[in-house]
């Protein structure tokens, strides 16, 4: 008897969960790798067959979870275009580093909430692994952040999206005179994520 291979599929909600979870650990990893928070305020956690970082700071964890919960709604509605993590010099308020994640949504499935699409789940996980590894290796070329920094999370949505309570319109917070590095992204076949970094040389 010939062996049969079952094709993997992904739903909109499955993709939303996968991408929002990726962003949670990506932001944690960036804040750890760039020293925005003390290293002893993070713990290792196994995810994507990798050791990833997760904050143990209750306030930071709560803030990130709230951001990701709102992001899930935008991902589910296919109305999100980009997530940006910006670091600012705490004293001068200058933007010194900007991690941008372009998000492309397959809007063709907007009126088919129960759809599924073919997807290689192992390939998606490998793509996420590659992005996390790039975040970790970024310390080899990014300048050391000499000063204390704060950070903001910006989310770009479609123009007709109502701004939720707790969120405000803001500027793009561009890094002036920046160096730019494009990173390899990943796709779930529903949402595609393409990261890049803009940073200021000292």
């Amino acid at each position: 008897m010939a062996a049969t291979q079952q094709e993997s599929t992904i739903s909109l909600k499955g993709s939303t969960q996968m991408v929002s979870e990726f962003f949670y650990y990506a932001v944690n990893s960036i804040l750890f790798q760039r020293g925005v928070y003390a290293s002893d305020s993070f713990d290792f956690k196994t995810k994507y067959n990798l050791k990833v970082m997760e904050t143990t700071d209750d306030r930071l964890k709560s803030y990130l979870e709230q951001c990701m919960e709102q992001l899930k709604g935008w991902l589910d509605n296919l109305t999100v275009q980009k997530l940006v993590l910006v670091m600012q010099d705490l004293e001068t308020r200058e933007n010194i580093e900007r991690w941008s994640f372009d998000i492309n949504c397959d809007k063709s499935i907007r009126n088919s909430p129960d759809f599924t699409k073919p997807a290689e789940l192992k390939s998606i996980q490998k793509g996420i692994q590659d992005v996390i590894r790039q975040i970790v290796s970024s310390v080899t070329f990014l300048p050391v952040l000499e000063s204390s920094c704060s950070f903001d999370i910006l989310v770009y949505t479609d123009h007709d999206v109502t701004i939720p309570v707790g969120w405000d319109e803001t500027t793009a917070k561009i890094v002036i005179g920046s160096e730019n590095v494009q990173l390899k992204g990943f796709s779930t076949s529903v949402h595609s994520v393409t990261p890049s970094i803009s940073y200021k040389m000292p």
Side-chain angles (χ1 to χ4, degrees):
M1 180 182 293
T4 58
Q5 184 173 354
Q6 186 174 2
E7 186 178 49
S8 297
T9 60
I10 192 166
S11 66
L12 173 58
K13 289 198 176 296
S15 178
T16 290
Q17 178 61 35
M18 194 174 290
V19 174
S20 61
E21 185 180 71
F22 157 75
F23 276 122
Y24 175 76
Y25 288 110
V27 171
N28 269 279
S29 294
I30 293 167
L31 295 177
F32 171 78
Q33 295 294 337
R34 304 304 289 137
V36 179
Y37 283 76
S39 59
D40 61 4
S41 64
F42 291 85
D43 261 343
F44 284 108
K45 183 172 184 177
T46 301
K47 200 73 185 173
Y48 316 118
N49 291 326
L50 295 173
K51 292 291 186 181
V52 297
M53 307 309 300
E54 182 177 23
T55 182
T56 57
D57 183 296
D58 289 337
R59 287 184 62 190
L60 176 58
K61 187 172 185 177
S62 176
Y63 170 71
L64 294 180
E65 288 175 344
Q66 288 175 31
C67 289
M68 295 308 119
E69 193 60 34
Q70 180 59 63
L71 179 64
K72 281 183 184 179
W74 288 320
L75 287 166
D76 221 22
N77 291 325
L78 306 169
T79 54
V80 61
Q81 301 173 3
K82 183 182 303 203
L83 182 142
V84 176
L85 174 64
V86 182
M87 293 170 211
Q88 299 172 316
D89 185 294
L90 199 56
E91 185 175 337
T92 67
R93 306 305 298 172
E94 181 183 15
N95 303 318
I96 56 177
E97 196 167 296
R98 189 176 191 269
W99 293 71
S100 177
F101 297 85
D102 290 339
I103 305 169
N104 182 267
C105 302
D106 182 0
K107 295 182 184 292
S108 69
I109 52 97
R110 176 169 279 166
N111 297 320
S112 305
D114 297 325
F115 91 106
T116 59
K117 291 186 73 172
E120 290 290 339
L121 300 184
K122 286 185 178 180
S123 177
I124 296 171
Q125 178 166 288
K126 183 181 183 305
I128 292 174
Q129 288 174 337
D130 289 344
V131 177
I132 296 295
R133 288 190 177 108
Q134 289 173 100
I135 291 171
V136 173
S137 65
S138 68
V139 295
T140 62
F141 63 85
L142 290 175
V144 174
L145 298 177
E146 301 285 0
S147 56
S148 297
C149 295
S150 61
F151 79 94
D152 282 322
I153 291 178
L154 316 179
V155 179
Y156 291 61
T157 64
D158 293 350
H159 293 301
D160 57 352
V161 172
T162 302
I163 299 174
V165 175
W167 293 73
D168 297 302
E169 286 195 71
T170 185
T171 62
K173 299 191 176 183
I174 299 297
V175 178
I176 297 174
S178 66
E179 301 286 335
N180 302 291
V181 176
Q182 186 74 47
L183 303 180
K184 183 180 178 182
F186 72 94
S187 174
T188 67
S189 80
V190 179
H191 303 99
S192 299
V193 178
T194 307
S196 61
I197 316 170
S198 300
Y199 60 95
K200 192 173 185 67
M201 292 299 293

